[in-house]
Amino acid sequence: MTRPGRLAVGIVGAGRVGAVVGNALRAVGHSVVAASGASATTLERIGAMLPGVPVVDVDEVVRRAEVVLLTVPDDALAGLVRGLADLGVWRPGQIVVHMAGRFGVDVLRPAQAVGAFPMAVHPAMTFTGTSLDLARLVGCPFAVTAAPVVLPIAQALVLEIGGEPVVLPEAARAPYHAALSHGANHLVTLVAQAERVLEAVGVEDAGHFLAPLLTAALDGTLRGGEAALTGPVARGDSGTVAEHLRALATLAGQDERLVDVPPAYVALARATVQRALAGRRFPERQAQALLDALAAGEGVAADVSTLDAGRLAGDSRSPDGRPPDGRHTGSPVIDGRPAPVLVTTREKLAETLPTLPGRRAVVMTMGALHAGHLELVRQARRHADHVVVTIFVNPLQFAAGEDLDRYPRDLEGDLAALSDVGADLVFAPSPDVVYPGGPPVVRVSAGHVGDVWEGAVRPGHFDGVLTVVLKLLHLTRPHVALFGQKDAQQLAAIRRMVRDLDVDVDVVAVPIQRDVDGLALSSRNAYLTAQQRSSALALSQALRAGEDAARAGAGPGEVVEAARRVLRDAQEREPGVVVVDYITLINPDDLAELDAGYRGDALLAVAARVGSTRLIDNALVHLGARPGPDPAGE
Ligand code: AMP
């Protein structure tokens, strides 16, 4: 018989959690009046954990209960609550408790609409669905979300079954649940990966072997947080990290069950570097060395995982998942022109170059090709008999925290676009092909050109660019190399390198290609939302204002001021959207600032962040009246 003040509890979908919580509520004197469940396992569980409780239809459970426990899968919850509302079974004053981690009480609104009291109660624990679970409830933290007036009821229910209620606001539920899944579920994945690697190298009973170390690491972290971190990343030992990645990639290449390990190692090591850097465990220079090692190793990891995808699909791709080296890709033949030959290794490149006789041009890109890149290839055809395009996202020119990881990559799309414009050969190496021994020890220095404007905002960037440009020139051995005026400072640095280091190549600049509204084409435009894209027009509009001023005979100061005014207006219209890094008028060759009385060609350059996207643009202007027709020659 129900004791006075005790509640009639109904359990919908008596899964593991429902069964154990129902059992616990019963143990403290509440009455479980009905339960529902469809699968044989659930019915069996009800028989074992809730003996004597009648199994009825879901709507009948709700009709009989004062407290309804909804313990259905997360994805089914919203539909169930709505369906029961449509049936008209919710009642005023009824307590409706769901136990899904990621939801607050919003999902129970259809019940609340008729006067029921919604509550979300979620134990931060995993259950077996057996009586063993009862002990796990004691001291188990429960996340509790409810309106303030009914919050004490939710807290009391948790306390009654031995749990510890922790109040969470509605908006915190999804991140709360993500944290639990990330910590608990991904821990399982991680530990299982470590076990598989150990087993692959012959360690028997890897779980037993790992237990003391992993238990100590877990205890240490729970007690002392990140201070518990030890190991090569914590020591800034990039050589060991590089070696780990090489070893894991080799194993993964031999054993399909390990293909998920290298990318997981890279992702977690990268996060570990960031945390170690935030905790000032080592200087940024050391962090960069680690990140470089990870980026170099990532190419190998990516190759292995695409290999697996290829194997699973049963195709005959080469080990890097790309179409086999030296063969035409499967992309369509357009206008009778075959798709370019794709090579990904130095050896294949060296083998293929002699098949392109005559004058050779190179266009270097980071892929995610747009019409600006394609114009470089079109122009290249005018300068040479054959065109080689390189596609390589160069880790060396990205600083920690920049967009190396999310930089857009679309090799298939790039190859299709390149057949349109008649590229002959595409060299798309991975980082370990370009940097086989890890990050290079000897690098090209851009000198003072690398320290100003872009170089000042992105220290080391131009050294990374020049190093890879020189390497790619050596590898592709072109007569002419084409670069976009879009990256005017890069162009100046490359021209300077070619001159200072006697590199035997002609450098040709190609004007900036723009969208119809004036926005300079860039692979990074893909990051912009429609709203940000429209805000980004302030850059090209500012340059146009500067050009107009120069044409009207303005001096350097006035030209910059005209451009700056447009940016200021944009910032006033939408505060905080466009953040200008610099707007400047400089010498296009050495990037030096101009004297007030300067006459001649000048580079008006701007860099700004729109949201989290960094954009650059520029215009070449002429200061001072151009020499008119020679009167004597008339
Ligand atoms: P990226 O892939 O961004 O490294 O660019 C590869 C080459 O294309 C560089 O020489 C760029 O200057 C050039 N480029 C990129 N965008 C444009 C553009 N909108 N107009 C002309 N050249 C461009």
Side-chain angles (χ1 to χ4, degrees):
M1 210 186 114
T2 313
R3 282 200 271 136
R6 299 286 88 186
L7 296 163
V9 179
I11 303 176
V12 173
R16 294 179 196 180
V17 187
V20 66
V21 171
N23 186 303
L25 285 169
R26 225 178 182 191
V28 293
H30 296 290
S31 162
V32 179
V33 293
S36 75
S39 72
T41 327
T42 303
L43 294 177
E44 204 175 296
R45 193 179 295 125
I46 293 172
M49 295 284 287
L50 301 166
V53 171
V55 177
V56 297
D57 286 343
V58 174
D59 56 326
E60 189 53 30
V61 175
V62 177
R63 282 197 182 91
R64 292 186 191 182
E66 292 164 318
V67 177
V68 181
L69 283 189
L70 299 172
T71 61
V72 294
D74 290 13
D75 287 346
L77 184 60
L80 174 73
V81 178
R82 233 179 298 117
L84 288 167
D86 292 344
L87 288 175
V89 292
W90 297 119
R91 294 194 307 278
Q94 200 168 30
I95 295 173
V96 186
V97 185
H98 82 71
M99 309 198 72
R102 79 175 156 111
F103 296 114
V105 286
D106 261 7
V107 69
L108 299 178
R109 203 167 280 181
Q112 186 185 17
V114 298
F117 296 126
M119 299 171 193
V121 167
H122 179 254
M125 179 48 71
T126 160
F127 294 108
T128 61
T130 68
S131 56
L132 292 176
D133 293 338
L134 289 172
R136 294 189 181 182
L137 288 178
V138 179
C140 168
F142 278 70
V144 174
T145 304
V149 283
V150 290
L151 195 55
I153 303 176
Q155 290 168 305
L157 280 174
V158 171
L159 287 168
E160 267 195 301
I161 57 173
E164 284 182 14
V166 175
V167 177
L168 270 192
E170 180 82 21
R173 292 296 296 222
Y176 150 80
H177 194 232
L180 297 195
S181 298
H182 191 49
N185 308 148
H186 300 173
L187 185 64
V188 173
T189 308
L190 182 64
V191 173
Q193 285 188 343
E195 286 179 343
R196 272 181 280 136
V197 172
L198 287 179
E199 280 159 9
V201 295
V203 177
E204 278 172 28
D205 198 355
H208 182 74
F209 186 96
L210 282 168
L213 172 66
L214 298 195
T215 308
L218 184 59
D219 278 354
T221 314
L222 292 175
R223 236 175 283 128
E226 285 163 356
L229 187 66
T230 58
V233 170
R235 290 194 300 273
D237 181 353
S238 51
T240 300
V241 169
E243 186 52 36
H244 286 176
L245 283 169
R246 265 194 293 275
L248 290 175
T250 305
L251 276 182
Q254 296 158 355
D255 184 345
E256 264 178 31
R257 295 177 324 129
L258 299 175
V259 286
D260 54 324
V261 178
Y265 184 106
V266 170
L268 286 171
R270 209 167 253 150
T272 310
V273 174
Q274 273 154 9
R275 298 308 308 154
L277 192 57
R280 299 185 188 285
R281 279 170 170 265
F282 42 58
E284 253 181 63
R285 191 174 24 82
Q286 220 163 342
Q288 189 55 53
L290 282 163
L291 292 172
D292 286 349
L294 290 168
E298 190 172 38
V300 182
D303 283 355
V304 171
S305 58
T306 36
L307 160 69
D308 188 54
R311 254 195 226 148
L312 292 178
D315 72 11
S316 61
R317 291 174 167 231
S318 66
D320 58 7
R322 295 163 175 150
D325 245 344
R327 272 208 252 147
H328 289 293
T329 67
S331 39
V333 174
I334 297 166
D335 293 341
R337 216 184 263 149
V341 173
L342 171 70
V343 296
T344 59
T345 64
R346 292 157 174 263
E347 296 73 24
K348 280 288 169 191
L349 176 66
E351 249 172 56
T352 314
L353 285 177
T355 67
L356 307 176
R359 200 170 149 79
R360 195 155 62 226
V362 69
V363 171
M364 298 180 190
T365 78
M366 298 205 295
L369 301 182
H370 51 65
H373 297 115
L374 301 181
E375 182 57 23
L376 262 68
V377 180
R378 274 193 214 97
Q379 299 266 345
R381 292 206 68 80
R382 295 195 200 130
H383 288 268
D385 301 303
H386 291 105
V387 181
V388 179
V389 175
T390 66
I391 298 180
F392 179 58
V393 183
N394 175 32
L396 224 55
Q397 68 192 65
F398 288 78
E402 289 189 350
D403 57 346
L404 173 64
D405 286 340
R406 65 178 188 129
Y407 196 87
R409 290 162 170 92
D410 177 18
L411 185 60
E412 288 296 330
D414 292 347
L415 292 171
L418 286 172
S419 4
D420 259 342
V421 284
D424 298 289
L425 176 63
V426 173
F427 178 46
S430 56
D432 63 308
V433 167
V434 177
Y435 304 113
V441 175
V442 176
R443 304 178 185 207
V444 180
S445 160
H448 72 269
V449 174
D451 292 336
V452 291
W453 313 115
E454 270 311 277
V457 181
R458 307 181 66 187
H461 169 70
F462 286 119
D463 295 1
V465 169
L466 292 187
T467 303
V468 81
V469 166
L470 189 61
K471 282 170 74 80
L472 291 172
L473 288 172
H474 288 320
L475 290 167
T476 59
R477 303 196 302 275
H479 301 85
V480 54
L482 292 94
F483 297 93
Q485 182 62 39
K486 160 82 174 14
D487 299 279
Q489 299 175 52
Q490 166 176 293
L491 182 63
I494 291 169
R495 284 195 195 283
R496 193 64 205 240
M497 173 181 76
V498 165
R499 203 164 68 217
D500 287 356
L501 301 184
D502 299 304
V503 185
D504 188 14
V505 69
D506 296 332
V507 172
V508 170
V510 175
I512 301 179
Q513 306 299 305
R514 299 180 178 279
D515 229 320
V516 280
D517 55 8
L519 185 71
L521 297 177
S522 162
S523 306
R524 288 193 170 97
N525 292 350
Y527 300 147
L528 299 171
T529 63
Q531 182 58 46
Q532 288 171 335
R533 201 188 169 293
S534 127
S535 309
L537 293 179
L539 273 72
S540 53
Q541 285 161 357
L543 296 174
R544 216 173 309 138
E547 284 175 303
D548 290 346
R551 257 194 299 273
E558 293 160 295
V559 169
V560 177
E561 187 45 37
R564 195 170 280 139
R565 204 173 308 126
V566 173
L567 292 170
R568 250 195 326 258
D569 288 349
Q571 286 168 321
E572 271 164 27
R573 267 197 318 275
E574 302 174 299
V577 176
V578 177
V579 180
V580 178
D581 278 343
Y582 59 78
I583 167 102
T584 185
L585 191 66
I586 49 181
N587 184 311
D589 298 326
D590 61 8
L591 313 183
E593 277 185 279
L594 305 175
D595 297 335
Y598 179 87
R599 296 281 180 270
D601 291 333
L603 178 70
L604 181 58
V606 62
R609 275 161 291 143
V610 180
S612 60
T613 306
R614 195 161 180 286
L615 299 175
I616 57 171
D617 200 352
N618 69 82
L620 283 169
V621 298
H622 187 84
L623 298 179
R626 286 186 184 281
D630 179 1
E634 278 180 353

